[in-house]
Amino acid sequence: MKKNVLIIGAGAVGAVVAHKCAQNSQVFGSICLSSRNLENCQSVIRSIEARNYRREESFQIFARTVDASDSAQVANLIRETGSHIVINVCTAFVNMSVMDACLETGAAYIDTAVHEDSSVMNAPYPWYANFEWKKREQCAQKGVTAILGAGFDPGVVNAYCAYAARYEFDSITSIDIMDVNDGSHGRFFSTNFDPEINLREIIEDAGCLEDGEWRTFPHHSRTTDYVFPEVGEKKLYLMGHDEVHSLSKHIKGVETVRFWMGFDDHYLRCLEVFEKTGLLNHEQVTTSCGQSVVPLRVLKACLPNPASLAPDYTGKTCIGTLIKGRSKGENKEVFIYNVCSHEETFADVGSQAIAFTAGVPPVAAAMLVAQGDWDVKGMANVEELPPLPFLKLLSRLGLPMVIRKDTKADASAPSELICA
Amino acid sequence: MKKNVLIIGAGAVGAVVAHKCAQNSQVFGSICLSSRNLENCQSVIRSIEARNYRREESFQIFARTVDASDSAQVANLIRETGSHIVINVCTAFVNMSVMDACLETGAAYIDTAVHEDSSVMNAPYPWYANFEWKKREQCAQKGVTAILGAGFDPGVVNAYCAYAARYEFDSITSIDIMDVNDGSHGRFFSTNFDPEINLREIIEDAGCLEDGEWRTFPHHSRTTDYVFPEVGEKKLYLMGHDEVHSLSKHIKGVETVRFWMGFDDHYLRCLEVFEKTGLLNHEQVTTSCGQSVVPLRVLKACLPNPASLAPDYTGKTCIGTLIKGRSKGENKEVFIYNVCSHEETFADVGSQAIAFTAGVPPVAAAMLVAQGDWDVKGMANVEELPPLPFLKLLSRLGLPMVIRKDTKADASAPSELICA
C-alpha cells in the first residue's frame, strides 16, 4: 500500500520536500502540506502543479492549517489525513509536540534538526538526550519509527560516517563536518533558512568532542582553512551542531567530532552588528510605546524570506566530512562530500541548494520508511541505520556522494563518485 | 514675577533642561517636568536633588505624566501648573500638539527641532513652512511667543549667523554648519539622542541651498573634510537639517546654506547594516507570529538609552558655522564655534555633551523670554532674534562662543573668545 505523508512546515525546506514527494508519486499516496500559514502551503502546491511532474493517477496533494506546537492538533490532522509518515520540517521548537502526535497515532516521524526550547540559548549538552532520546523507549515499545536528523547536516553527513565506518575504515578517530556555501544570492544580508533558528545557532557556544573530551568555545573563536573540491579554499569557523553529539555517541571509538561552517567577512560583520546591538535577543524587550517584542523575530520579519532567494542564486554548496582513522594497519583520511548547484536545484524544484540539501534527504528517508528499509519501529539517528540504500537513493534524487582519498589535494583533484 | 516652566520630555535633553533650570532658580518659579513615563521624570528630579544646587526658597520642581500628542492634555497641564513657558524637548512628532496647547493657553512655546510626521520620511521641503510657520499669524494675533529651533543646531548656530550678519559682515553669501563629536561612549553602537529621530534624519535625503538653488542628494553621498579647533581634522557628510531651511529664508542674500555632520567608519558600517536590512523602517511589518511592529522602534528599544552614556563619555564636541561673505569691500571668512567636553558637562549636570549642547540653549531662551528680551509675542526662529543676549547668557551657562578668523588654520590655531 502506498503511504500517505503529512509534511509539517511550508517554508523553503518544506517546499523542497513537497516537490520531491510529488516527483516520486510512485511511492506515496496522498501528501498533506501543512503550516500555520495556509497561503504558504497553497503557493507551494501551485508551484508543483505548474511543473507537471509525471504523477501516478492516485497521487494527490493538498494544504491544511496546523499549529504544530499543539500535539492534539497534529494528531487530529494525522488521523484525518490517514498519514503513515510525518516529515517535520517546521521550526525545531515543535519537534516534541509533533513526535508526541506520532507516538499517539503510530505514524512514523522524520525530522532534520534537534529540538530546541525557544526560551533557551546555549542549550546544555547533551542535546539529543535532553529531549528526543528520552522518548526512545516509548518509540520501541509502541513500534513507532522515528528518524532523527535526516536532513543534510545532520543527516547525510551522518550517513557518510556510517558508510566510512563500514566500508573505508577499521576504526575512526576523528570526524570534521565541513559546510560551505560558495553561492551568491545578491541580497545585502540573508540567512538561507529560518533566520530565527539559523542566527540563534550561529551565536551559540561551539561545542565539540576533541581528544575524547567535550569542549565548548565562544562562537567564531576557532577557525580553520580547507581546500574544497570545486569551490576551492574557504575559511571555516567551529560551531556546535546536532550531529556532533549523536556521532560522538554512535561512531565507536571516535575521539574528535567537530562541525565547521564557512562564513565570509561581510556576513560576520553584519552578524556582529546584529548581535552587539541586541537584535539577536530571543527574549522580549519593551518599546517606548509599551509593546513587548522579541528582537530576533523582528529581525526575521525584516530579512528576506529564504524561499525568495532561489531565482537569483548562483554558485554551489559543498558539504562533507573529513574522516580520519586506521585501515588495514595504516593511517587513512577521506573526504566524503556532495557539491550542489543553486542553479540546478532551482531548475529541479524551484529552490536554492541549501533548502534542497536539507529537504531532499527527509524525502529519501520517507521513501525508505515507506519501502521498509528504514522502517525500524523505533528511534534512530541516521548513522545508526544502513547507509547504502539512503546514499544510493540520494544520488538518484540529486545529491550524489563523492569520496576524495587524497584529502590534501587542490580543488580540482580527482574524486570518486560513489553510489551513483 | 518669576515664571513657571513646563518641560515636556524627560530624556537625555529633558534632564539637562531640568538641571539648568534648577541651577537658575533666580529666574524661574516652579518647574514641572513631564513625560509619558513618570519614573523618567522622577529619576531626573532625584538627580537634581542629590546635587544640592543653590536654590531660591520659592523654587520647586515636580513630575507629571503627559501624552504630549494630546493637545488638550498639554493645555490642562499648562493651566494646572500655571506655566508661563513651555520648553518642548519631547520627540519632534509632538511639536504641533504642544504648540496648539500654548496657543490655547497663552503660554510661551520653545522647541529645539522642526516638527515631523512619524509616517513620513524625506518630509518635503519647505520644512518649517509645512507645519510651524502656518501658525505664525495666529501667534502674532494672540501675542503668543513661540521660539522655534532653540537647541544648538538648530539654535545656537542660527544665533552665530545672526551675530555674523550684524557684527562681522556687510553681506553673507555662504553658511556651512558643521557638527562633529570627537567623543567616545565606549559602546558598540549608540545614538546620542532619541534613536528614532536621529536615525531617521540621518538616512533622509540631504537637502541644501547651493548657489541660490534648493538641491537634494542621497544621504552620505557628499563629503568634505575640515580641520576643527581642538578636535582636529574630520570627515563630514552633507545632511538635511532644520536650520538650512530657516537660514536660507532669514539671512538676507545668502546663496549657500549647508549642514555637515561627522561620522566615523564604524558608525556608517552599522548604519548600512541597519538600513539595508530594513531595521530603520518606520512602517509596520508583521512577524511570523502575526505581531505588527515598527522595526525602527524595536531597534531603538535594543540600543542604549542615550541618557545612560554620560558617565563613560570622554572627549569633546565641536559645532560651528563657517561663514563667508564680504566685509568692508573684501572677501571674508569666519568660523564661529563652541567646543564642549563630555566630562565637563557630566560634572556640571550629569549628562553628555550632545544632550548638554541641545538642552542648555532652550533654557537660555526661556530665561530671555522670562526676562523680556525675547518675549516677542509672536513666532520667531532664533536667527530673527537679537543674538547678543542669547550668546552672552550661553557663555555663562557653559557654552562659550569662539570665533576663528583664520579659517584655514590647523587645530591649534588661536581663536577669539567672544561673549565670555
Side-chain angles (χ1 to χ4, degrees), chain A residues 65-321:
Chain A
T65 306
V66 74
D67 174 356
S69 67
D70 180 345
S71 198
Q73 264 192 48
V74 177
N76 285 340
L77 187 57
I78 291 171
R79 288 193 197 95
E80 183 207 325
T81 57
S83 293
H84 305 93
I85 300 169
V86 175
I87 302 180
N88 170 25
V89 284
C90 192
T91 157
F93 303 142
V94 302
N95 284 13
M96 299 320 294
S97 53
V98 175
M99 191 184 287
D100 283 344
C102 290
L103 280 164
E104 191 186 324
T105 58
Y109 173 87
I110 299 169
D111 69 25
T112 63
V114 74
H115 182 82
E116 289 187 47
D117 176 341
S118 68
S119 67
V120 175
M121 282 291 287
N122 291 313
Y125 175 84
W127 302 321
Y128 279 110
N130 291 326
F131 294 102
E132 283 89 345
W133 290 356
K134 289 182 175 161
K135 303 274 182 177
R136 191 183 274 267
E137 281 302 303
Q138 212 180 327
C139 285
Q141 280 162 14
K142 297 201 170 184
V144 169
T145 297
I147 317 277
L148 305 182
F152 205 102
D153 43 340
V156 180
V157 297
N158 303 50
Y160 291 166
C161 294
Y163 173 90
R166 288 199 189 193
Y167 303 110
E168 294 286 342
F169 289 88
D170 298 323
S171 63
I172 290 175
T173 50
S174 146
I175 295 168
D176 285 291
I177 298 151
M178 300 195 282
D179 180 330
V180 294
N181 175 19
D182 192 45
S184 168
H185 49 57
R187 310 297 177 91
F188 179 78
F189 182 89
S190 179
T191 58
N192 290 295
F193 59 96
D194 184 351
E196 192 171 353
I197 298 292
N198 190 207
L199 294 172
R200 278 168 67 104
E201 81 172 358
I202 286 175
I203 61 161
E204 285 185 328
D205 287 345
C208 69
L209 183 76
E210 263 184 338
D211 305 324
E213 276 180 37
W214 192 260
R215 294 178 183 161
T216 56
F217 301 88
H219 71 84
H220 296 93
S221 63
R222 283 186 60 191
T223 66
T224 189
D225 293 290
Y226 192 70
V227 180
F228 286 87
E230 300 197 40
V231 305
E233 183 166 7
K234 298 290 171 193
K235 187 168 186 180
L236 300 152
Y237 295 81
L238 189 74
M239 268 179 66
H241 225 241
D242 322 359
E243 62 269 40
V244 173
H245 176 224
S246 71
L247 290 169
S248 75
K249 296 295 170 196
H250 296 142
I251 302 296
K252 212 168 24 178
V254 71
E255 290 169 359
T256 294
V257 187
R258 292 177 292 217
F259 180 92
W260 306 87
M261 185 167 271
F263 293 96
D264 68 26
D265 291 344
H266 170 75
Y267 188 101
L268 292 177
R269 268 197 304 271
C270 292
L271 188 73
E272 185 191 29
V273 172
F274 296 144
E275 184 179 15
K276 293 207 170 156
T277 51
L279 291 160
L280 303 185
N281 188 351
H282 66 283
E283 289 174 349
Q284 290 196 327
V285 299
T286 304
T287 70
S288 58
C289 312
Q291 193 180 23
S292 287
V293 291
V294 174
L296 180 55
R297 299 225 170 105
V298 178
L299 177 59
K300 172 178 172 173
C302 290
L303 293 177
N305 176 347
S308 74
L309 305 174
D312 307 317
Y313 228 126
T314 57
K316 296 169 177 176
T317 63
C318 181
I319 316 175
T321 53

Side-chain angles (χ1 to χ4, degrees), chain A residues 36 188 269-270 272-274 276-279 286-289 291-293 295 297-303, chain B residues 36 188 269-270 272-274 276-279 286-289 291-293 295 297-303:
Chain A
R36 206 160 38 183
F188 179 78
R269 268 197 304 271
C270 292
E272 185 191 29
V273 172
F274 296 144
K276 293 207 170 156
T277 51
L279 291 160
T286 304
T287 70
S288 58
C289 312
Q291 193 180 23
S292 287
V293 291
R297 299 225 170 105
V298 178
L299 177 59
K300 172 178 172 173
C302 290
L303 293 177
Chain B
R36 208 161 35 186
F188 179 77
R269 269 199 303 273
C270 293
E272 185 190 28
V273 172
F274 296 144
K276 293 209 170 154
T277 51
L279 290 160
T286 305
T287 70
S288 57
C289 312
Q291 192 181 25
S292 288
V293 292
R297 297 225 172 105
V298 178
L299 177 60
K300 172 179 171 171
C302 290
L303 294 177

Side-chain angles (χ1 to χ4, degrees), chain B residues 85-88 95 99 102 107-114 128 132-133 136 139 144-151 154-156 158 361-370 372-386 390:
Chain B
I85 300 170
V86 175
I87 301 180
N88 171 24
N95 284 12
M99 190 185 287
C102 289
Y109 172 87
I110 298 170
D111 70 25
T112 64
V114 74
Y128 279 111
E132 283 88 344
W133 290 356
R136 192 183 273 268
C139 285
V144 169
T145 297
I147 316 276
L148 305 181
V156 180
N158 304 47
V363 177
M367 291 168 76
L368 294 179
V369 169
D373 308 66
W374 275 19
D375 193 14
V376 291
K377 307 297 183 194
M379 177 178 285
N381 290 81
V382 168
E383 68 272 20
E384 298 177 276
L385 297 166
F390 188 51

Side-chain angles (χ1 to χ4, degrees), chain B residues 146-162:
Chain B
I147 316 276
L148 305 181
F152 204 103
D153 44 342
V156 180
V157 295
N158 304 47
Y160 291 167
C161 294

